[in-house]
Amino acid sequence: MDKAGKPVLNDDGSPKIGDIGLTCPKLGRKGHGTWYFSLELERGENGKRRRVKRGGFPTKEKAEEEAEKVFKEAGRGTDVLSTETMADYLRRWIDAKKSLARTTRHGYQEHIDNYLIPHLGHIKRRDLRVRHLDLMYKAIERENAERTLHRLRVEELTQARDAAHTAWVRAAGQKEERRRTRRAYLEANAALREGRKGLRKVTSPATMHRINDTISSAITWGMKREEAFSKNWAQLVELPAASRPKPLVWTPERVEHWKRTEEKPGPVMVWTPEQTGQFLDFVRDDWLYALWHSFIFLGPRRGEMCALPWPEVSLDNFWLRISAQIVEVAYRLYGEAPKADSVRTLDLSEESAEVLAQWRAKQDQAREEWSGVEAWVESDRVFTQENGEPLHPDWVSRRFKRLVELSGLPPVRLHDLRHISASLSLLQGNDIKVVQERLGHSSRQITSDTYTSVLPELARREVESMTTVIPRSVPHNVLCPLALPKKLFSDGMAVVYADAARDADGAWTISVKAAHNSRPLGKIKTAVASQENATRTVIQWVRGHCKDAGLRILSADKVTARLPGSGKRQHHLARFVIDGGTAMGPEAWAPVPVAPGDSETSKEDQEPSQEAA
């Protein structure tokens, strides 16, 4: 047909057949003049034909390229005929996940409602590609910039409101001025309320990774169940690095900075053993002292302690069993079983058992008092309110925060007590596997990466252990040569002790004695900086003397683990067991008694002897 609508004929009068190209009068219509392809798929149910037909391609090559791609996806089992959107698919996926924990489901649902459906919901499931995910995260970063500006604006409004309130308070006694400043305060407060509307938290890199984990889990489920996707596109996304916050210890320098600026050095902070002891002393009379004590020495989660029943506690056999937990979703409480790795039995120390026994007696007394007014709530829980009512996990966190504020100690969160518990256990030399099982983690790597922080004592021990590995020659002056008399060797062995005193110039005077309060058998002086080096010096000196005298050191034990307090000048450094070379029968070999004061400061430490001085 020509532009006038009349048929185009050949010279012989037959209709002209061929490509009329750009002369086609229908070329201006939508979809006219583009390329289509059609694929015949395997027949479906009841032998029904299944065909894929798509068009709108500008060239034949583009249509062929898309046809080949669809053919390969169909060969892998992908449902290329589906028109399901990502919004419908994500809702179907979350409804099908029947075994999810309640908190996990709540987190997935938040990601779906707040991020995935708003950004991806309109896309057909079959068309999802990695570029769509990239666009979603770019949009989230743009929203973060807007939210950051919004939060800065709210901070400015808050400062203005506080300044207006201060001016109002200072205007006391000035009637007209007070009326004006009060009006300014009310206006500033109203502006702050208006500015807070729509305020949302910034989406952190860690949250982006969790969102990506959610969509990745949804895609993996579709690939395994119905081959709904050809690839897991979420695994190809590159996101900003999200590092887990490292726990920091409240050292004196950090405490001083916090008192001066009220700024925490990091989001996760850990008390030192001394600060932990101060907190326990402060809350000794608190109703829930046994709960705080259990958090610190056992390291449970708050939901586990709120759900712990008395039948799961054996004070006679010193154990309690974690087999239930309470989870909070939108402040509503739900009881559910913890994960398999979190079901565990915790051994109780004598002190922990005694604290729980005293708590049980106090709870029984409260039961009698409240039962008289018919107000007691029988819950069979270990930790309750004073009327027996179960504890809400969020209330426990808020109560702990308030107690920390009242104690004057630097702030830590309730969950940080798990860090403290793990760090204290490591400080006692316990293996990381023991700590892992006590905390209820699935692997020791999680425990090491998450809940262990380096206390100053651990760091100091590690540094000192490195310096003692390599033998060094330490210079010293011999004030009195070492002489070990024969009468000192009982049954062929002698036990001698090394004590030291430090003068005002920092030099160490070291004496080797048969007992801490006896006269010195030898004396040296050295200008080393630390007590550890002083110990190394005396070991080197005694070892050299025994080698020259034909004696053999059976053991040289350092006793510098606990340093004397301020005002105590004398230090115990080491204890030596020396073989005098005399032949002995089996009956002569007996355990060498440890003299008092090896591990603790004895009375002789309090005042320096004349020899040490």
Side-chain angles (χ1 to χ4, degrees), residues 420-431 434-435 438 455:
I420 295 173
S421 181
S423 300
L424 293 177
S425 183
L426 291 177
L427 184 61
Q428 295 300 316
N430 293 328
D431 187 81
V434 177
V435 180
R438 184 158 61 84
L455 291 172

Side-chain angles (χ1 to χ4, degrees), residues 304-319:
E304 295 170 345
M305 284 290 96
C306 291
L308 182 66
W310 275 115
E312 293 296 300
V313 179
S314 177
L315 298 180
D316 294 333
N317 297 313
F318 297 93
W319 59 262

Side-chain angles (χ1 to χ4, degrees), residues 8-17:
V8 180
L9 305 175
N10 294 319
D11 295 339
D12 59 359
S14 62
K16 186 174 183 179
I17 299 175

Side-chain angles (χ1 to χ4, degrees), residues 150-199:
H150 190 179
R151 299 185 76 85
L152 292 175
R153 176 59 180 161
V154 170
E155 289 180 6
E156 293 177 356
L157 293 173
T158 302
Q159 294 174 0
R161 190 275 312 270
D162 294 342
H165 183 267
T166 302
W168 177 31
V169 172
R170 290 178 177 176
Q174 306 174 29
K175 186 174 181 180
E176 188 62 31
E177 179 70 11
R178 185 171 177 80
R179 184 179 301 164
R180 183 184 65 81
T181 54
R182 180 178 182 274
R183 184 166 55 251
Y185 165 70
L186 293 177
E187 292 175 354
N189 197 38
L192 177 60
R193 286 199 304 269
E194 185 66 24
R196 281 177 173 169
K197 293 181 178 179
L199 183 64

Side-chain angles (χ1 to χ4, degrees), residues 328-345:
E328 173 201 349
V329 178
Y331 208 76
R332 296 186 63 182
L333 299 183
Y334 302 91
E336 62 181 35
K339 296 179 181 179
D341 297 307
S342 296
V343 177
R344 61 201 186 277
T345 299

Side-chain angles (χ1 to χ4, degrees), residues 276 279-280 283 288-302 304-306 308 310 313 315 320 322 344 346-349 351-357 359 382-383 414 417-418 420-422 424 438-439:
T276 306
F279 175 76
L280 288 175
V283 299
L288 293 174
Y289 169 74
L291 178 62
W292 315 130
H293 187 281
S294 299
F295 275 128
I296 290 173
F297 288 98
L298 301 179
R301 301 175 179 88
R302 66 175 189 176
E304 295 170 345
M305 284 290 96
C306 291
L308 182 66
W310 275 115
V313 179
L315 298 180
L320 62 83
I322 303 295
R344 61 201 186 277
L346 303 180
D347 294 326
L348 301 176
S349 65
E351 178 180 343
S352 295
E354 178 64 24
V355 168
L356 288 176
W359 160 254
V382 173
F383 300 106
L414 178 64
L417 295 184
R418 279 170 66 81
I420 295 173
S421 181
L424 293 177
R438 184 158 61 84
L439 296 179

Side-chain angles (χ1 to χ4, degrees), residues 6 12 31 33 69-70 78 141 157 163 215 277 346 353-354 364 375 399 442 489 509-511 538:
K6 297 179 180 181
D12 59 359
K69 185 185 299 185
V70 173
T78 303
E141 290 177 350
L157 293 173
I215 186 65
L346 303 180
E354 178 64 24
D364 290 341
R399 175 62 179 166
S442 58
F489 290 86
T509 300
I510 307 173
S511 303
V538 71

